[in-house]
Amino acid sequence: MFDMEIVNPKTLTDKVTSVISHVVVTTASKLAFISGQVAVNETGALVGQGDLYAQAIQTFTNLKHALEAVRADPLCIAKMNIYVVNHMPEFVPIVFDAGYQVFGEKWPKTTSTYIGVQSLAEPEWLIEIDAIAIFP
């Protein structure tokens, strides 16, 4: 693989480090910038109308497919942004549970920003995820 150092300083809270890392340091030679993925399948059909969990599963699956297309492992993700429409605190475990369903042991415990938004590009989309992957 490659060297990617995960840094979680004791001066920053460990409350979130079970699902993310505070800092990722690398000397990787290649970067993949993955555009925001949403809950549409390969034909463009929405998956999970009105269901955040179903949409999160499809969105993480699309992210996984994008990684596979460039031959990058999920553990290569250095930064992930998660956008959730009309966010409420009870949505956090729903979203992360979906991510664990898709990635399992390869859940990228990476730097991450979780952002509540009013809406996304299409009114039926409930979640969008973009990422930056690093690899040799």
Side-chain angles (χ1 to χ4, degrees):
M1 194 97 110
F2 61 94
D3 289 327
M4 184 162 72
E5 180 184 1
I6 303 297
V7 180
N8 290 307
K10 295 209 181 295
T11 52
L12 297 174
T13 182
D14 64 355
K15 182 178 179 184
V16 297
T17 55
S18 65
V19 292
I20 71 157
S21 296
H22 285 292
V23 182
V24 172
V25 180
T26 184
T27 57
S29 61
K30 223 171 175 181
L31 296 171
F33 297 87
I34 301 171
S35 192
Q37 298 300 305
V38 295
V40 295
N41 64 20
E42 63 277 358
T43 67
L46 178 68
V47 174
Q49 176 75 39
D51 182 340
L52 178 60
Y53 184 74
Q55 286 200 22
I57 290 281
Q58 184 64 48
T59 302
F60 279 112
T61 299
N62 290 348
L63 178 59
K64 185 177 180 183
H65 291 320
L67 290 164
E68 290 168 349
V70 296
R71 294 178 301 285
D73 190 274
L75 298 175
C76 293
I77 295 175
K79 173 73 173 138
M80 184 167 34
N81 294 314
I82 302 170
Y83 306 90
V84 178
V85 172
N86 298 321
H87 170 69
M88 293 187 286
E90 56 267 26
F91 291 172
V92 174
I94 293 169
V95 170
F96 282 101
D97 286 349
Y100 285 116
Q101 278 296 108
V102 173
F103 291 115
E105 291 180 4
K106 292 215 172 185
W107 170 254
K109 204 178 342 180
T110 186
T111 60
S112 181
T113 302
Y114 186 112
I115 306 162
V117 296
Q118 181 178 349
S119 64
L120 294 168
E122 295 291 331
E124 60 274 352
W125 295 351
L126 300 177
I127 184 169
E128 183 167 347
I129 303 170
D130 65 50
I132 299 172
I134 54 176
F135 51 106

